[in-house]
Amino acid sequence: MKHGNIVKYAGFLGFTALILIFSGCFLSAPTGELVSPTIRAIGLPDASIVGSVTLKVTGPDMAPVEVSYTQLPSVINIAVPEGNDRKFELTVTMGSSYTGAIASYKGTATAEVKSKSATVTLNMGIGSTKIIVPDPHWNFDSDPRVLQFDDINGQSKAAFTGTELGVVSGNPGWSSNFYPYDIDFDNEGRIYIANNNAVSGYGRVVRVDNILGFGFFKYKDWATGIVALTVDRNRNILYYATSGNLYNSEIDGTNDVVRNLPVVGASSISSISCLAVDSSGMLYMIADVGQVSVDYQVLKLDPLSDPADIFLVSQSGTLPGNSAIEPKDLLVKGNSLYIANVGGGNGYQILQLGTANLSLLANYGDQASGVNTSKGYFYGPRRFAAQMNDEFTILDDSPNFDKIIQMDDISGTNWKTYPAGSDAGQNDFFFYDFGGQ
């Protein structure tokens, strides 16, 4: 039995009460009236695990101003042209000694800066996470596991399996009942895992603090396989689903209940495949609402409208073009909803819909016929990973080939893969669809 490589964890990071006040000073920079504001950064990680710090200021009628440091400074030396709508963005990246899930913290604020006594407060939150993915591959002679990489180059690979989870949880039964299927994060960087197992005691969502499985916490056991989950980080609500039921819980595990789903036309909802939530609390779901044949539809629901039921807000028709085959995951970015569509035809591997009316805005990606890491070619996109990051990170999966894709936008800008080149990818992961070797 193979086990994942374990990397030492440098400590769980929640938000701290740490407040650092950076007093700026003037630079011999642009002409015109300059202002050196005091910047209050609230919720920073410990300085010992910080790798770099960058402050960028932008705004109308000014050139961007940026300063960077290789450690957490006590003073940031920056001068900003006075004016309105100055946007301050502070990014703190984690150093090499830190092996937890968080890759960076970020804080932004827009302020009027017109005097030397101006103060700008930045409330820091998670800016990005490492790439943490489920690797269930239960058809292979290896433990299903959760994998972590620092970046798309596969740096600092780490993993934990059900065996390790059994040790930290005190329940050795997890060694043979751990089938991680979907992953999300909360605002503290804790990892939520949908366990796709219907065995009593294991058909539930579990949460861990880090890649060693520390801080193990389990949500209610519904004795059925969990296929999808999403965390509303603004309201601290966890939503998760089996193929036929939707549940929600407070982050602390209280009020863990099954929700009533609406009837769509004359059809009940079945075969739920994926969930996502936007910043306003709207919940998105893809499910089969067909009475006879499979009819996948994207549903937009208001889960906060009533404690007992979820009411349908709007719905799309069948997914557009030749794309309505096997959608597997959803991701909300801004005002757009993205679909990983493992069964989509050429041009329809990734879909972009508007959240307002669920209309198709763009589609991208062709089917690869063999090992292919070239831009725009997919084996079968199954999951979005690193959901809090600016880039798209996609688990691309077929019986014999696997890769992780990173791209900046729906056009495939700055396309990168792990592994790259002619590597079939199965030395590192098998994901969901494994044909055997």
Side-chain angles (χ1 to χ4, degrees), residues 14 20 32 48 76 139 192 198 200 207 223 253 304 314 344 364 432 436:
L20 293 187
S48 65
I76 287 185
N139 296 321
Y192 292 72
S200 179
R207 184 184 73 206
L304 305 176
S314 61
Y364 180 72
Y432 303 89

mmCIF file of all heavy atoms in Angstrom, residues 14 20 32 48 76 139 192 198 200 207 223 253 304 314 344 364 432 436:
data_model
loop_
_atom_site.group_PDB
_atom_site.id
_atom_site.type_symbol
_atom_site.label_atom_id
_atom_site.label_comp_id
_atom_site.label_asym_id
_atom_site.label_seq_id
_atom_site.Cartn_x
_atom_site.Cartn_y
_atom_site.Cartn_z
ATOM 1 N N GLY A 14 -4.869 30.829 11.465
ATOM 2 C CA GLY A 14 -6.153 31.506 11.382
ATOM 3 C C GLY A 14 -5.860 32.996 11.299
ATOM 4 O O GLY A 14 -4.713 33.419 11.283
ATOM 5 N N LEU A 20 -0.135 45.745 12.189
ATOM 6 C CA LEU A 20 1.131 46.420 11.939
ATOM 7 C C LEU A 20 0.826 47.770 11.296
ATOM 8 O O LEU A 20 0.001 47.869 10.386
ATOM 9 C CB LEU A 20 2.009 45.593 10.995
ATOM 10 C CG LEU A 20 2.516 44.263 11.561
ATOM 11 C CD1 LEU A 20 3.501 43.653 10.583
ATOM 12 C CD2 LEU A 20 3.177 44.454 12.917
ATOM 13 N N GLY A 32 4.583 66.833 -8.431
ATOM 14 C CA GLY A 32 3.264 67.127 -7.891
ATOM 15 C C GLY A 32 3.237 66.877 -6.401
ATOM 16 O O GLY A 32 4.218 66.446 -5.788
ATOM 17 N N SER A 48 7.687 35.371 10.928
ATOM 18 C CA SER A 48 8.687 34.323 10.716
ATOM 19 C C SER A 48 8.391 33.449 9.503
ATOM 20 O O SER A 48 9.291 32.767 8.997
ATOM 21 C CB SER A 48 8.791 33.442 11.960
ATOM 22 O OG SER A 48 7.579 32.741 12.180
ATOM 23 N N ILE A 76 6.948 50.937 5.638
ATOM 24 C CA ILE A 76 6.892 50.902 4.181
ATOM 25 C C ILE A 76 7.173 52.304 3.658
ATOM 26 O O ILE A 76 6.485 53.262 4.019
ATOM 27 C CB ILE A 76 5.532 50.403 3.673
ATOM 28 C CG1 ILE A 76 5.410 48.904 3.906
ATOM 29 C CG2 ILE A 76 5.355 50.714 2.190
ATOM 30 C CD1 ILE A 76 4.152 48.286 3.341
ATOM 31 N N ASN A 139 -9.798 2.778 -7.951
ATOM 32 C CA ASN A 139 -9.627 1.576 -8.771
ATOM 33 C C ASN A 139 -8.173 1.135 -8.861
ATOM 34 O O ASN A 139 -7.859 0.161 -9.533
ATOM 35 C CB ASN A 139 -10.139 1.839 -10.197
ATOM 36 C CG ASN A 139 -11.621 2.110 -10.227
ATOM 37 O OD1 ASN A 139 -12.371 1.478 -9.492
ATOM 38 N ND2 ASN A 139 -12.051 3.034 -11.062
ATOM 39 N N TYR A 192 -12.017 21.575 3.442
ATOM 40 C CA TYR A 192 -13.271 20.832 3.529
ATOM 41 C C TYR A 192 -13.274 19.757 2.450
ATOM 42 O O TYR A 192 -13.001 20.051 1.278
ATOM 43 C CB TYR A 192 -14.461 21.772 3.355
ATOM 44 C CG TYR A 192 -14.614 22.728 4.509
ATOM 45 C CD1 TYR A 192 -13.725 23.787 4.683
ATOM 46 C CD2 TYR A 192 -15.629 22.571 5.442
ATOM 47 C CE1 TYR A 192 -13.843 24.661 5.764
ATOM 48 C CE2 TYR A 192 -15.768 23.450 6.515
ATOM 49 C CZ TYR A 192 -14.862 24.485 6.664
ATOM 50 O OH TYR A 192 -14.984 25.336 7.733
ATOM 51 N N ALA A 198 -20.700 5.717 1.133
ATOM 52 C CA ALA A 198 -22.015 5.554 1.734
ATOM 53 C C ALA A 198 -22.001 4.638 2.954
ATOM 54 O O ALA A 198 -23.061 4.308 3.491
ATOM 55 C CB ALA A 198 -22.997 5.001 0.703
ATOM 56 N N SER A 200 -21.909 3.646 6.702
ATOM 57 C CA SER A 200 -22.330 4.364 7.899
ATOM 58 C C SER A 200 -21.115 4.833 8.698
ATOM 59 O O SER A 200 -20.181 4.073 8.958
ATOM 60 C CB SER A 200 -23.195 3.447 8.781
ATOM 61 O OG SER A 200 -23.590 4.118 9.954
ATOM 62 N N ARG A 207 -13.462 18.102 7.814
ATOM 63 C CA ARG A 207 -12.616 19.286 7.709
ATOM 64 C C ARG A 207 -11.311 19.035 8.431
ATOM 65 O O ARG A 207 -11.287 18.420 9.506
ATOM 66 C CB ARG A 207 -13.322 20.487 8.344
ATOM 67 C CG ARG A 207 -12.558 21.807 8.201
ATOM 68 C CD ARG A 207 -13.279 22.926 8.939
ATOM 69 N NE ARG A 207 -13.150 22.795 10.385
ATOM 70 C CZ ARG A 207 -14.015 23.271 11.266
ATOM 71 N NH1 ARG A 207 -15.112 23.882 10.849
ATOM 72 N NH2 ARG A 207 -13.809 23.129 12.558
ATOM 73 N N ALA A 223 -24.887 8.820 5.861
ATOM 74 C CA ALA A 223 -24.726 7.454 5.355
ATOM 75 C C ALA A 223 -24.938 7.382 3.847
ATOM 76 O O ALA A 223 -25.588 6.472 3.332
ATOM 77 C CB ALA A 223 -25.654 6.492 6.089
ATOM 78 N N GLY A 253 -20.664 23.216 12.513
ATOM 79 C CA GLY A 253 -21.348 21.935 12.521
ATOM 80 C C GLY A 253 -22.760 21.972 13.059
ATOM 81 O O GLY A 253 -23.456 20.956 13.024
ATOM 82 N N LEU A 304 -31.200 31.494 1.275
ATOM 83 C CA LEU A 304 -31.415 32.300 2.478
ATOM 84 C C LEU A 304 -32.832 32.857 2.549
ATOM 85 O O LEU A 304 -33.173 33.555 3.507
ATOM 86 C CB LEU A 304 -30.412 33.460 2.501
ATOM 87 C CG LEU A 304 -28.941 33.058 2.379
ATOM 88 C CD1 LEU A 304 -28.065 34.300 2.307
ATOM 89 C CD2 LEU A 304 -28.513 32.171 3.518
ATOM 90 N N SER A 314 -33.974 31.449 -10.769
ATOM 91 C CA SER A 314 -34.015 31.382 -12.229
ATOM 92 C C SER A 314 -33.316 30.115 -12.657
ATOM 93 O O SER A 314 -32.635 29.463 -11.867
ATOM 94 C CB SER A 314 -33.325 32.606 -12.852
ATOM 95 O OG SER A 314 -31.968 32.663 -12.467
ATOM 96 N N GLY A 344 -17.964 17.642 -22.770
ATOM 97 C CA GLY A 344 -18.239 18.626 -23.811
ATOM 98 C C GLY A 344 -17.501 18.331 -25.100
ATOM 99 O O GLY A 344 -16.393 17.789 -25.104
ATOM 100 N N TYR A 364 -14.776 27.363 -24.386
ATOM 101 C CA TYR A 364 -13.362 27.204 -24.717
ATOM 102 C C TYR A 364 -12.944 25.744 -24.568
ATOM 103 O O TYR A 364 -13.456 25.020 -23.714
ATOM 104 C CB TYR A 364 -12.512 28.059 -23.769
ATOM 105 C CG TYR A 364 -11.025 27.970 -24.018
ATOM 106 C CD1 TYR A 364 -10.446 28.564 -25.134
ATOM 107 C CD2 TYR A 364 -10.193 27.277 -23.137
ATOM 108 C CE1 TYR A 364 -9.087 28.489 -25.373
ATOM 109 C CE2 TYR A 364 -8.829 27.208 -23.359
ATOM 110 C CZ TYR A 364 -8.277 27.812 -24.477
ATOM 111 O OH TYR A 364 -6.929 27.725 -24.706
ATOM 112 N N TYR A 432 -10.206 10.861 -11.091
ATOM 113 C CA TYR A 432 -11.478 10.145 -10.978
ATOM 114 C C TYR A 432 -11.622 8.975 -11.948
ATOM 115 O O TYR A 432 -12.234 7.967 -11.645
ATOM 116 C CB TYR A 432 -12.632 11.121 -11.237
ATOM 117 C CG TYR A 432 -12.632 12.305 -10.303
ATOM 118 C CD1 TYR A 432 -11.933 13.463 -10.610
ATOM 119 C CD2 TYR A 432 -13.325 12.262 -9.095
ATOM 120 C CE1 TYR A 432 -11.926 14.553 -9.749
ATOM 121 C CE2 TYR A 432 -13.323 13.341 -8.234
ATOM 122 C CZ TYR A 432 -12.623 14.479 -8.569
ATOM 123 O OH TYR A 432 -12.609 15.556 -7.711
ATOM 124 N N GLY A 436 -6.688 1.697 -15.500
ATOM 125 C CA GLY A 436 -5.859 0.568 -15.075
ATOM 126 C C GLY A 436 -4.608 0.440 -15.927
ATOM 127 O O GLY A 436 -4.566 0.823 -17.086
#
